[in-house]
């Protein structure tokens, strides 16, 4: 199911490149056709009008894949770690999907989708699907289309979906709302002990991975993270984040990362947290879709006179902005 499909005969894939035949695309994606998977994700990314049909067709297959998020600052080795995790998961016989989110330019909107370059080891493996996606200016380290792209990969039969964020800062924590298990990668020399106790990205980790652990300062980084974890208040039975060392460039520590993910998955299932997280994820998806519809409707109002009339009244003091917003919402609901 690799995205690199140059060697797939045309008769095996058929005319899917520009197809909008949703049932056919879903059937072929379920059969492992990478071009059908690619086409479905393209429809998702472009916000095509058939997107509701895509979502409806994929709904019966939702919730079967384990979703693992990988995040951290630029340069900590997220792509290399993802590549090695794919190798470990394939050794277990899992079908694996990877969504690698790359930043897009705020000036041109373009993006260099370079994460996939680091994962060429799996380019010919039919049990792996790798897709690079541009963030398209979306904040939080992901793309707005990522949740639906995860559903496509679930529908295509992936047992595990790895979501690698862009290089993120301390406030970009959206991946935690999407993943069952979130890995936060750090590396020695990326910050001092103060960084370890700041609010934000370090609070979302289910597993901390101190990568490049052969560098000076690795022991200090591990101690800082363990100290931060010790300061947290946890009730009986609550999850205590694991701290794992790795040297992903040499494939070292990857089995320990996989074991930590397994341990967290077991805890999620025993405590009912897996269902809670997935329901929260679904709620966030529904909310995002509803807000998108509202934004479209507000945009259509800008083309008419209603919003302009209300804005003029606010500007001249005839009405306050909260009252104007209330009238606008009333018009949207009518």
């Amino acid at each position: 199911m690799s995205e690199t499909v140059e060697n797939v005969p045309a008769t095996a894939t058929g005319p899917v490149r520009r197809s909008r035949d949703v049932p056919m695309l879903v059937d072929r994606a379920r059969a492992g056709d990478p071009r059908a998977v690619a086409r479905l994700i393209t429809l998702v990314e472009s916000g095509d009008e058939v997107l509701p049909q895509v979502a409806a067709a994929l709904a019966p297959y939702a919730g079967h894949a384990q979703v693992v998020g990988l995040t951290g600052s630029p340069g900590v080795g997220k792509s290399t770690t993802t590549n090695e995790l794919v190798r470990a998961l394939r050794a277990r016989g899992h079908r694996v999907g990877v969504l690698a989110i790359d930043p897009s330019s705020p000036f041109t909107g373009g993006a260099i989708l370079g994460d996939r370059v680091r994962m060429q080891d799996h380019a010919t493996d039919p049990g792996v699907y790798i897709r690079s996606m541009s963030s398209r200016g979306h904040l939080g380290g992901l793309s707005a289309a990522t949740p639906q792209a995860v559903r496509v990969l679930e529908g295509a039969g992936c047992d595990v979906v790895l979501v690698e964020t862009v290089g993120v800062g301390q406030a970009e924590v959206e991946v935690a709302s999407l993943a069952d298990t979130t890995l936060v990668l750090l590396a020695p020399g990326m910050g001092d002990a103060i960084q370890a106790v700041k609010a934000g990205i370090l609070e979302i980790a289910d597993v901390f991975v101190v990568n490049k652990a052969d560098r000076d300062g690795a022991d200090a980084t591990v101690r800082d993270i363990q100290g931060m974890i010790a300061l947290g208040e946890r009730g009986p039975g609550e999850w205590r984040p694991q701290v794992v060392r790795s040297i992903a460039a040499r494939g070292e520590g990857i089995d320990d990362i996989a074991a930590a993910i397994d341990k967290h998955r077991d805890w999620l299932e025993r405590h009912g947290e897996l269902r809670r997280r997935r329901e929260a994820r679904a709620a966030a998806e529904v909310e995002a879709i509803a807000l998108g519809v509202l934004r479209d409707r507000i945009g259509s109002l800008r083309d008419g006179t209603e919003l302009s009339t209300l804005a003029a009244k606010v500007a001249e003091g005839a009405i306050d902005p909260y009252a104007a917003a209330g009238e606008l919402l009333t018009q949207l609901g009518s």
Side-chain angles (χ1 to χ4, degrees), residues 230-261:
L231 291 174
E233 295 183 2
R234 294 177 181 82
E238 288 190 28
W239 175 254
R240 180 184 176 89
Q242 306 288 290
V243 183
V244 181
R245 300 172 188 245
S246 69
I247 308 173
R250 299 206 298 251
E252 297 178 12
I254 303 302
D255 289 341
D256 294 334
I257 296 174
I261 294 172

Side-chain angles (χ1 to χ4, degrees), residues 191-203:
D192 57 17
I194 299 300
Q195 297 293 334
V197 296
K198 283 187 176 179
I201 190 170
L202 295 183
E203 294 182 329

Side-chain angles (χ1 to χ4, degrees), residues 151 177 276-289:
R151 288 183 177 275
S177 66
R276 190 201 68 78
R277 289 193 179 196
R278 292 186 170 181
E279 288 178 353
R281 182 195 313 169
E285 274 189 83
V286 172
E287 181 181 28
I289 292 169

Side-chain angles (χ1 to χ4, degrees), residues 124-155:
T124 58
D125 186 343
V128 180
Y129 184 91
I130 301 169
R131 175 77 173 221
S132 290
M133 302 175 67
S134 169
S135 64
R136 300 191 180 190
H138 185 76
L139 300 178
L142 300 179
S143 161
T146 306
Q148 289 301 318
V150 168
R151 288 183 177 275
V152 171
L153 294 181
E154 285 186 310

